[in-house]
């Protein structure tokens, strides 16, 4: 114990981001954390319980403060004994980078609302109800990142906050009979041949 205290090394059993830091100096811990951050750390972006994008922290605008994380690991001390201690990495948010990335993925996560319509199924016209769409709420998502950057990295996931978009028309039934009558008509197409001047 005294050797760890005197040398400034991190006590055994301490880890961050799944990286064992026990026995390392602050400089070695920083290097190990930086390597794990760039090579093996990723964030799942979640919408409605499903992963829509898997992204590196740097792309998302998350920046690891490796020196601060190493200091946190060093300060755990004897509290890591006997079962070990996993600490959260110290993470900062680059708001501009986060905003630019979220703007880039709106085409992947946004869904336009669907107004009620009609389809032909088994030769019959049936109504299709309108469906709610969604739009990424970028300011609120960034605000959430600012509040919980360390936790997002520790969990490896970020729940994207969405704004529901309501369709203008949900119920197809008012015009269902008209649609059925339209489809029931026998269409006639008239073509014109300019060489023979005939219809």
């Amino acid at each position: 114990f005294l050797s760890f205290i005197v040398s400034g090394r991190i006590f055994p059993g301490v880890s961050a981001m799944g990286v064992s830091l026990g026995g390392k100096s602050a400089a070695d811990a920083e290097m190990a954390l930086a390597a794990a951050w760039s090579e093996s750390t990723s964030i799942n972006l979640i919408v409605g319980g499903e992963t829509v994008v898997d992204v590196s922290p740097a792309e998302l605008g998350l920046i690891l403060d490796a020196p601060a994380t190493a200091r946190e690991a060093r300060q755990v001390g004897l509290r890591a004994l006997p079962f070990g201690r996993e600490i959260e990495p110290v993470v900062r948010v680059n708001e501009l980078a986060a905003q630019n990335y979220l703007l880039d993925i709106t085409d992947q996560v946004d869904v336009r609302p669907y107004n009620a319509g009609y389809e032909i199924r088994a030769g019959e016209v049936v109504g299709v109800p309108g469906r709610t769409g969604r739009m990424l709420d970028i300011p609120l998502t960034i605000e959430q990142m600012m509040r919980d950057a360390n936790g997002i990295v520790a969990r490896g996931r970020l729940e994207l906050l969405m704004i529901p978009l309501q369709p203008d028309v949900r119920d197809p039934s008012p015009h269902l009979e008209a649609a059925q009558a339209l489809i029931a008509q026998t269409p006639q197409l008239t073509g014109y041949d300019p060489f023979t001047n005939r219809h």
Side-chain angles (χ1 to χ4, degrees), residues 103-123:
L103 284 170
D104 287 342
I105 66 167
T106 52
D107 287 344
Q108 294 174 255
V109 299
D110 287 359
V111 176
R112 290 178 177 272
Y114 173 78
N115 284 321
Y118 306 93
E119 290 181 359
I120 299 177
R121 297 177 187 168

Side-chain angles (χ1 to χ4, degrees), residues 58-173:
E59 288 180 282
L60 190 55
L62 297 172
I63 302 167
L64 173 68
D65 190 335
T69 305
R71 283 195 300 273
E72 292 279 342
R74 176 71 182 87
Q75 289 169 5
V76 171
L78 291 172
R79 288 174 292 165
L81 303 177
F83 303 113
R85 188 75 166 263
E86 174 79 16
I87 65 167
E88 289 188 347
V90 179
V91 180
R92 318 288 183 207
V93 179
N94 181 327
E95 292 184 63
L96 181 59
Q99 175 180 286
N100 288 339
Y101 179 80
L102 293 174
L103 284 170
D104 287 342
I105 66 167
T106 52
D107 287 344
Q108 294 174 255
V109 299
D110 287 359
V111 176
R112 290 178 177 272
Y114 173 78
N115 284 321
Y118 306 93
E119 290 181 359
I120 299 177
R121 297 177 187 168
E124 293 187 6
V125 178
V126 296
V128 180
R131 294 188 294 269
T132 301
R134 69 189 185 201
M135 180 175 71
L136 178 59
D137 191 328
I138 293 176
L140 278 182
T141 299
I142 292 176
E143 186 179 316
Q144 176 180 245
M145 291 173 61
M146 299 288 290
R147 285 198 312 267
D148 190 30
N150 295 4
I152 290 167
V153 172
R155 294 187 298 272
R157 55 184 285 144
L158 167 63
E159 188 79 34
L160 298 179
L161 301 178
M162 309 299 293
I163 301 170
L165 301 176
Q166 302 301 330
D168 296 325
V169 181
R170 279 192 178 276
D171 184 9
S173 58

